[in-house]
Amino acid sequence: MEEWVNNSLEAYLKASVFMSFVVAFLGGVLASFTPCVYPMIPITAGFVGSRNVGGSRFTGFVLSSVYVVGIAVTYAALGMVAALTGRFFGEISSNPWVFFVVANIIILLGLGMLEVFEIPMMSPGEVNAGGFIGIFLMGIVSGFMAGPCTAPVLGVLLAYVTTTQDVFLGASLLFVFAFGMGLLLIAVGTFSGLVTALPSSGDWMIKIKKAMGLLMIALGEYFLIKMGQLML
């Protein structure tokens, strides 16, 4: 079955440039339902929700789109690497040190939400440049999280990019793929700010923030476990 899927994808990729972008986008949408994308959902909700104080759907959409663009930039860069060197994303995403770095960043962000120390770009309030930059940078880091689960679609895309050796095409296809994968996250972020629009945002909002921080720390520990498994 998997071989048939791979062969079909390759055929569509080679059919035309337009069709290759369609395949990349739809492949990204399918990849969004894999387990490795699930950890991004609470991260998206936590970051966007903490910045979208007014609960505006438009603001939530913009912020979550910035987060997804960060993810897409990571994939685009790796698409360029594939076109230039022929190295696959799997070699990077399966590296235990990548899991180590990502895990520690998530844990630090979780500790920030628990107010162990202050991270200005995570502080709730009016959206500003720091908020956009923080979400964008988190998107760049998050791009590595979904790597292990995006095969076989990503593998076929990168194999095709490697054969073309077209840097612009490689970056574009991987960007479109990642944006398709991020549609689910954009939907989550668009509506995550609605909780902040509820009245009497007192102790219960603090509890939600701390619960989100604990969840992010748990996700960081999960990636540390994955790192250990890769090193065995």
Side-chain angles (χ1 to χ4, degrees):
M1 179 66 179
E2 183 174 322
E3 184 178 353
W4 178 82
V5 171
N6 291 346
N7 292 335
S8 299
L9 288 174
E10 289 179 13
Y12 283 117
L13 285 171
K14 296 176 180 179
S16 67
V17 174
F18 173 77
M19 185 60 66
S20 66
F21 280 99
V22 172
V23 170
F25 180 78
L26 293 179
V29 173
L30 291 176
S32 68
F33 296 99
T34 57
C36 290
V37 178
Y38 297 156
M40 299 182 189
I41 295 177
I43 293 174
T44 306
F47 268 85
V48 174
S50 66
R51 302 303 305 176
N52 189 12
V53 177
S56 167
R57 292 186 184 181
F58 176 75
T59 302
F61 171 79
V62 172
L63 290 172
S64 56
S65 296
V66 171
Y67 175 70
V68 171
V69 168
I71 297 173
V73 166
T74 297
Y75 276 78
L78 293 169
M80 294 175 66
V81 171
L84 290 170
T85 68
R87 293 181 180 178
F88 290 108
F89 180 79
E91 295 179 8
I92 300 174
S93 62
S94 61
N95 189 311
W97 294 110
V98 172
F99 283 86
F100 177 78
V101 172
V102 171
N104 280 278
I105 291 176
I106 294 176
I107 291 173
L108 287 174
L109 294 173
L111 291 174
M113 297 192 75
L114 292 175
E115 298 181 355
V116 174
F117 50 82
E118 183 177 355
I119 302 179
M121 64 187 180
M122 287 184 61
S123 302
E126 186 178 353
V127 178
N128 51 38
F132 283 113
I133 293 173
I135 292 175
F136 178 74
L137 292 177
M138 190 58 204
I140 290 177
V141 174
S142 298
F144 292 96
M145 296 182 189
C149 295
T150 52
V153 178
L154 184 58
V156 174
L157 283 174
L158 287 174
Y160 173 69
V161 168
T162 302
T163 59
T164 63
Q165 295 184 338
D166 188 325
V167 176
F168 178 76
L169 179 63
S172 301
L173 281 178
L174 270 295
F175 187 94
V176 170
F177 170 81
F179 210 87
M181 188 174 62
L183 279 185
L184 175 63
L185 303 178
I186 291 176
V188 170
T190 299
F191 296 97
S192 65
L194 294 180
V195 68
T196 62
L198 296 175
S200 302
S201 56
D203 292 340
W204 67 276
M205 278 299 297
I206 297 176
K207 292 179 180 178
I208 289 178
K209 181 181 177 181
K210 289 184 176 180
M212 192 65 67
L214 291 173
L215 181 57
M216 291 182 71
I217 291 174
L219 289 173
E221 295 294 336
Y222 167 77
F223 280 103
L224 287 177
I225 293 173
K226 294 291 291 183
M227 180 197 74
Q229 292 175 342
L230 289 171
M231 297 182 72
L232 293 179

